[in-house]
Amino acid sequence: MKRIVLFVLTLLFAGLASAHLDAGEDTVVEGSLIAFGYDPANILVGEPVTLAYNLVNESTDEIIARHSVWRRVSEEDTVYFAGYMYPEADHVSMLYTFPRSGDYILTTRFELENGQKISTDFTVDATAPFPSTLVVVGISALFVGIVLTAIYLKR
């Protein structure tokens, strides 16, 4: 019994210790690791998404001091958002709502305190949510069909 309790507690604490956003990727640029994450993992059009970035030294895992972070959200020929953020914490995050379905390019440029610029692109896919009105119409049509069939069979 003690082993089962210990196993369950280990799983719980392991989950808490490694908790991070639902999806993302890391990339190394000029000896720096840019960690990108987003939540939820399935990005739906019209629903807010948390986008988070972190910049650390690849070999030491120490946070790299930065002055600002420039971010852009775009598609092939359309820019939806571009702007600077001046972080006060170790990571930089924002809420963003994607306006339509498709592949988006998320460009991030960290501007370090020494003037160096480190940038990269990430790609995410936003999909349109399943329209709930179709579900309501489908269920209504099914109900009407059942009622009409029952009336027809009673004759």
Side-chain angles (χ1 to χ4, degrees), residues 2-36:
K2 287 182 182 179
R3 287 183 183 180
I4 293 173
V5 170
L6 182 60
F7 178 72
V8 170
L9 288 175
T10 301
L11 288 178
L12 287 173
F13 287 117
L16 291 174
S18 65
H20 51 75
L21 298 178
D22 286 350
E25 73 180 90
D26 297 342
T27 188
V28 176
V29 179
E30 300 175 25
S32 301
L33 177 74
I34 299 175
F36 165 62

Side-chain angles (χ1 to χ4, degrees), residues 45 75 100-104 124-127:
V45 172
E75 286 182 302
R100 50 185 219 196
S101 59
D103 290 329
Y104 287 84
V124 296
D125 179 46
T127 57

Side-chain angles (χ1 to χ4, degrees), residues 76-140:
E76 284 184 19
D77 57 353
T78 305
V79 174
Y80 294 98
F81 169 83
Y84 281 94
M85 299 186 81
Y86 297 89
E88 295 180 9
D90 289 340
H91 68 282
V92 181
S93 65
M94 68 183 257
L95 281 177
Y96 185 77
T97 303
F98 292 88
R100 50 185 219 196
S101 59
D103 290 329
Y104 287 84
I105 302 164
L106 307 177
T107 302
T108 302
R109 182 175 65 221
F110 290 89
E111 297 185 5
L112 308 184
E113 292 178 352
N114 65 7
Q116 180 185 5
K117 296 177 182 178
I118 300 173
S119 65
T120 193
D121 293 336
F122 297 100
T123 302
V124 296
D125 179 46
T127 57
F130 187 76
S132 58
T133 53
L134 289 179
V135 173
V136 172
V137 169
I139 291 173
S140 300

Side-chain angles (χ1 to χ4, degrees), residues 13-69:
F13 287 117
L16 291 174
S18 65
H20 51 75
L21 298 178
D22 286 350
E25 73 180 90
D26 297 342
T27 188
V28 176
V29 179
E30 300 175 25
S32 301
L33 177 74
I34 299 175
F36 165 62
Y38 56 95
D39 184 26
N42 297 321
I43 298 173
L44 298 177
V45 172
E47 299 290 327
V49 177
T50 299
L51 304 172
Y53 303 83
N54 206 352
L55 181 67
V56 297
N57 182 299
E58 181 189 18
S59 59
T60 66
D61 288 334
E62 292 179 10
I63 300 293
I64 296 175
R66 65 242 180 254
H67 169 66
S68 63
V69 181

